[in-house]
Amino acid sequence: MLSHRSAVRIGLLVRRLAQLRGSGTALPGLVVERLDPGFLAAALAGLPEGVVVITGTNGKTTTTKMVVELLRATGLKVFSNRSGSNFTRGIIAGMLGELDEHGKLNADIAVLELDEAHAIHFIREVPPRYSLLLNITRDQLDRFGEVDYTARLLEKVARATQVGVVLNRDDPLVSRIGEALPAVVERRYFGSGSSVQHLFPDDGHLYGAGPDPSLATVEPDNDADVVLTGLGGKSATYSFEGAVQPPVDLAIDGVHNALNGAAALSIVRMVLRDRASGDVLLKALGSVGPAFGRGESIDVDGSPLEIVLVKNPSGFRLSLRSYAENDAATMIAINDRYADGRDTSWLWDVDFSSLSDVAVVSGTRADDMALRLHYDNIEVAHVEGALPAALDRFLAIEGPKRIYCTYTAMMAIRSVLASKFDLAGIQ
Amino acid sequence: MTTHNAALPLRIVHLYPEQMNIYGDTGNVLTMVRRAQWHGYDPEVVVHRPGVAFPEDVDLIVGGGGQDSGQGLVADDLLALGDHIHGLADDGVAMLMVCGLYQLFGNFFETVTGERLDGIGIFDVATYGGPKRLVGNVRANTQFGEVFGYENHSGLTMLGEGQRPFGEIAMGSGNNGRDRTEGAIYNNVYGTYLHGSVLPKNPRFADALIEAAAVRRYGAFAPAQIDDQLAERARSRARQLGV
């Protein structure tokens, strides 16, 4: 077998060639993985603060960004995987530029966002020191089949974790996992306080059906390490160390991101122990901006255009609730490629009635989306499947605009916009 | 649209929405409500949960699919209702049961490990846990023309002798992936594996359920002209996508 160093050298060469051709980012990682199957474990093994894994259905990318920035604010050197590259080969590809001359990762700690299914492959090679389990909602059932199955995947991640697991107290499927863990693993919870809990309906609340009583296992006032106790506009208030902390003005929209903030604070407090200063963490949290494609705002001829990624019913519903009614023209773009989920049934589990009208509907499943809105009695001005033509039409509208889109639709929209406008953060 | 049926109530029962609603099944309830309104009726949705009395004066019953664990939670309640639902089915009440509740409207569901969950036997069908999930777009030929949907189930359903299927599979797996049958029909009761949701994209089927409910309760059904262009576009798009 090749030495780690040779594998890295070849990987870097492949990366340069791939960059020249403008092709995929995971290829060099794949090459290294094939040449040196122990690479990932070896590169991550020596990290003084270990590996943190963040997984769950919704909010992984934004929460990972929060955790990284919170840790960096306390002076740690953090390696993290970029959004979308959460296969092991993507993680390796991301590492190639950050290795020292011995092939070791030049960082104190790695914070990795892992897709539920890929997390299982990862933990076999690298047991995390800490893990953060965000939530379990119906998402891509064509891939996973059942929500119960996803719960089992997350439980495996928790069981492979060596030191401590942080879990969502308010998500019954997640908090249940905490109860089943062996006593040697430290457990902490994050959650929402009683005054804001109504903002976070779970899957059992579809169309006001109410929570599923069979799943209510954890009392809402159970001790949690970090609790989101208040929310007004962008100002969020957290409670930890037994005290309500001063409010933070978040730079990211969305009630769900305020809760992601509680999750990030909790895992960072677990990693840092008494090195964590509440003031420093809260200040850093307030300055975290949107992650790639998550509620980004672009200036289009003087008017803001927001891009909101939607992947599943609970995420879409929370996004719709996060914005004031009718404060912007709306476009919705739904694709049904593999990365989006092939099944569009979930659109029927979203209540769209907060929208008064929709200017443009697009994507491979534009017609299904238009039909969905029709059944909520919402007027759709234009149905245009092709994204570039749909964008032309949408951008011609004056004033603030917002696009809700699935993952591959977002990528396509970004690439059209990047050719026309200055798009922050696009590579 | 006409309003000549105004003030004629139709009572729709949504079965076990918390446990059995995983694949957009609420879309079927919404479609029943909207189309009934568009035809000029005054629909009302009543939820039935485990352990409470079943609603009276029922015109339409809609139920969906759920987790295996969800099925376990409702099975006892459904068994206790078995005789009552048989009576309603014999009396011509229109019902649509998708996926998990379709299975429980059959004779039984036997898991891969041999555990058996009894159904209420409205349909003479038996379901066996299969080794892999049948997932993907479906097109079936039915008495309401081509019906489009999406399936996601591991149970394989076998029709008993003389049990009428809902349709014949043109694409996808249907009941079991072998005999090209899809779903089952008894009187005005329809069982199917198609979600997607099945009703909005298949308005003829949706209206047949409303018609059955209206005829049973009021003796006649006077349909309004509904503009189904969007449904037609979604159907032709599904066809283009190779469904």
Side-chain angles (χ1 to χ4, degrees):
Chain A
M1 193 174 58
L2 285 167
S3 71
H4 291 319
R5 240 185 286 182
S6 310
V8 171
R9 259 188 233 120
I10 295 169
L12 285 168
L13 183 67
V14 173
R15 188 170 75 154
R16 218 170 302 140
L17 291 172
Q19 280 166 346
L20 287 174
R21 290 191 48 197
S23 57
T25 54
L27 179 68
L30 176 65
V31 170
V32 173
E33 197 171 35
R34 287 278 161 82
L35 290 174
D36 179 4
F39 176 84
L40 187 67
L44 290 171
L47 295 175
E49 306 278 350
V51 173
V52 180
V53 161
I54 297 175
T55 189
T57 315
N58 281 329
K60 291 187 285 288
T61 302
T62 300
T63 309
T64 300
K65 189 164 191 253
M66 288 172 166
V67 171
V68 167
E69 295 191 18
L70 262 53
L71 289 172
R72 282 185 183 151
T74 67
L76 287 181
K77 196 160 169 39
V78 186
F79 170 78
S80 185
N81 56 329
R82 276 211 317 251
S83 157
S85 58
N86 46 18
F87 295 67
T88 49
R89 68 191 57 157
I91 296 170
I92 294 173
M95 279 180 184
L96 285 174
E98 321 243 338
L99 298 164
D100 66 16
E101 67 271 26
H102 308 293
K104 291 278 183 201
L105 195 57
N106 187 14
D108 298 314
I109 188 168
V111 179
L112 302 174
E113 165 196 350
L114 294 178
D115 175 277
E116 301 90 304
H118 299 128
I120 299 307
H121 301 297
F122 178 84
I123 58 169
R124 260 184 232 130
E125 293 179 49
V126 185
R129 200 174 292 181
Y130 307 97
S131 60
L132 169 58
L133 310 187
L134 290 171
N135 45 54
I136 298 170
T137 63
R138 60 190 81 193
D139 182 20
Q140 303 204 11
L141 291 172
D142 50 330
R143 272 173 72 201
F144 295 132
E146 297 216 334
V147 176
D148 295 343
Y149 175 70
T150 310
R152 288 196 290 276
L153 294 181
L154 292 204
E155 184 169 343
K156 284 185 185 163
V157 173
R159 286 185 179 281
T161 303
Q162 295 170 322
V163 175
V165 182
V166 171
L167 308 107
N168 185 340
R169 181 195 63 184
D170 304 338
D171 185 321
L173 289 169
V174 174
S175 58
R176 231 185 226 177
I177 293 172
E179 288 157 32
L181 289 179
V184 291
V185 180
E186 187 184 355
R187 267 151 295 188
R188 291 188 185 183
Y189 293 88
F190 68 94
S192 53
S194 47
S195 69
V196 294
Q197 226 154 34
H198 65 281
L199 296 169
F200 305 101
D202 64 27
D203 263 3
H205 283 82
L206 294 171
Y207 290 99
D212 181 345
S214 68
L215 289 176
T217 54
V218 174
E219 290 295 316
D221 289 326
N222 236 15
D223 282 343
D225 176 50
V226 180
V227 177
L228 172 68
T229 53
L231 196 55
K234 288 191 164 190
S235 167
T237 310
Y238 300 96
S239 157
F240 52 82
E241 284 167 358
V244 175
Q245 305 290 324
V248 193
D249 279 336
L250 299 175
I252 316 180
D253 280 325
V255 294
H256 44 299
N257 284 326
L259 190 59
N260 289 337
L265 286 167
S266 188
I267 188 92
V268 168
R269 282 166 45 75
M270 181 183 259
V271 172
L272 295 174
R273 308 284 159 178
D274 53 5
R275 291 175 288 165
S277 144
D279 295 348
V280 171
L281 297 185
L282 289 170
K283 186 161 174 277
L285 184 65
S287 63
V288 177
F292 180 76
R294 275 78 176 171
E296 284 176 297
S297 190
I298 298 159
D299 183 86
V300 176
D301 302 330
S303 300
L305 166 68
E306 275 176 293
I307 304 175
V308 183
L309 179 67
V310 289
K311 300 189 291 186
N312 48 46
S314 60
F316 209 150
R317 273 179 286 143
L318 282 171
S319 295
L320 288 168
R321 275 164 172 255
S322 292
Y323 299 106
E325 285 173 38
N326 315 324
D327 63 343
T330 304
M331 170 168 157
I332 303 177
I334 304 295
N335 276 356
D336 68 347
R337 302 189 204 289
Y338 180 77
D340 307 295
R342 304 306 309 267
D343 182 3
T344 51
S345 305
W346 63 277
L347 294 173
W348 292 90
D349 288 327
V350 182
D351 179 359
F352 291 94
S353 55
S354 67
L355 297 171
S356 60
D357 56 12
V358 171
V360 182
V361 166
S362 185
T364 53
R365 289 291 193 158
D367 297 311
D368 286 81
M369 188 64 229
L371 184 63
R372 172 69 194 92
L373 292 168
H374 178 56
Y375 273 92
D376 268 353
N377 286 330
I378 293 163
E379 189 95 13
V380 177
H382 297 286
V383 182
E384 170 55 67
L387 280 167
L391 269 175
D392 278 346
R393 204 178 264 284
F394 189 57
L395 293 176
I397 297 170
E398 284 182 18
K401 290 176 267 295
R402 186 175 296 124
I403 304 177
Y404 299 95
C405 48
T406 61
Y407 186 76
T408 70
M410 178 191 84
M411 299 305 277
I413 287 167
R414 287 184 64 94
S415 93
V416 174
L417 291 176
S419 64
K420 297 185 180 190
F421 305 100
D422 179 25
L423 200 59
I426 197 164
Q427 58 275 53
Chain B
M1 286 174 207
T2 54
T3 53
H4 54 281
N5 294 319
L8 293 184
L10 281 180
R11 178 171 282 196
I12 302 165
V13 172
H14 188 182
L15 276 185
Y16 314 122
E18 285 90 356
Q19 294 85 9
M20 305 298 280
N21 69 353
I22 199 162
Y23 298 118
D25 298 313
T26 43
N28 291 326
V29 178
L30 180 65
T31 305
M32 290 286 86
V33 168
R34 287 284 184 259
R35 296 192 76 84
Q37 286 168 344
W38 295 340
H39 285 301
Y41 293 90
D42 180 19
E44 172 200 13
V45 177
V46 184
V47 164
H48 174 71
R49 297 187 166 90
V52 301
F54 199 74
E56 301 197 343
D57 302 324
V58 173
D59 300 305
L60 252 165
I61 306 179
V62 181
Q67 308 280 312
D68 289 350
S69 57
Q71 244 172 337
L73 290 168
V74 305
D76 286 347
D77 187 76
L78 187 65
L79 279 180
L81 288 175
D83 288 346
H84 184 59
I85 292 179
H86 268 277
L88 297 175
D90 288 340
D91 195 36
V93 171
M95 308 186 202
L96 170 67
M97 296 299 138
V98 180
C99 204
L101 278 172
Y102 163 44
Q103 295 168 344
L104 291 181
F105 267 51
N107 295 324
F108 61 84
F109 182 104
E110 196 176 289
T111 65
V112 184
T113 53
E115 273 172 274
R116 203 164 139 142
L117 210 54
D118 281 327
I120 58 172
I122 300 281
F123 305 120
D124 183 17
V125 304
T127 303
Y128 301 88
K132 64 175 179 111
R133 295 194 84 82
L134 306 175
V135 183
N137 290 309
V138 179
R139 174 163 51 98
N141 294 311
T142 74
Q143 59 181 301
F144 311 112
E146 285 184 322
V147 166
F148 295 90
Y150 195 94
E151 65 184 332
N152 186 347
H153 55 106
S154 58
L156 304 176
T157 296
M158 304 298 174
L159 304 181
E161 197 114 341
Q163 171 61 57
R164 187 153 69 105
F166 171 50
E168 187 192 355
I169 285 291
M171 169 154 179
S173 298
N175 279 330
N176 49 52
R178 292 175 213 157
D179 63 13
R180 298 173 66 87
T181 63
E182 204 303 300
I185 301 178
Y186 170 75
N187 239 6
N188 292 322
V189 186
Y190 298 84
T192 178
Y193 274 117
L194 272 59
H195 54 92
S197 310
V198 66
L199 292 184
K201 217 186 286 186
N202 300 290
R204 267 181 73 189
F205 180 29
D207 283 356
L209 291 164
I210 295 173
E211 177 172 5
V215 167
R216 176 178 163 275
R217 177 139 178 197
Y218 299 109
F221 174 63
Q225 279 294 326
I226 293 178
D227 180 356
D228 278 320
Q229 267 188 75
L230 288 170
E232 278 310 319
R233 286 181 62 163
R235 289 166 67 82
S236 48
R237 182 69 186 146
R239 222 174 270 122
Q240 281 168 24
L241 289 169
V243 177

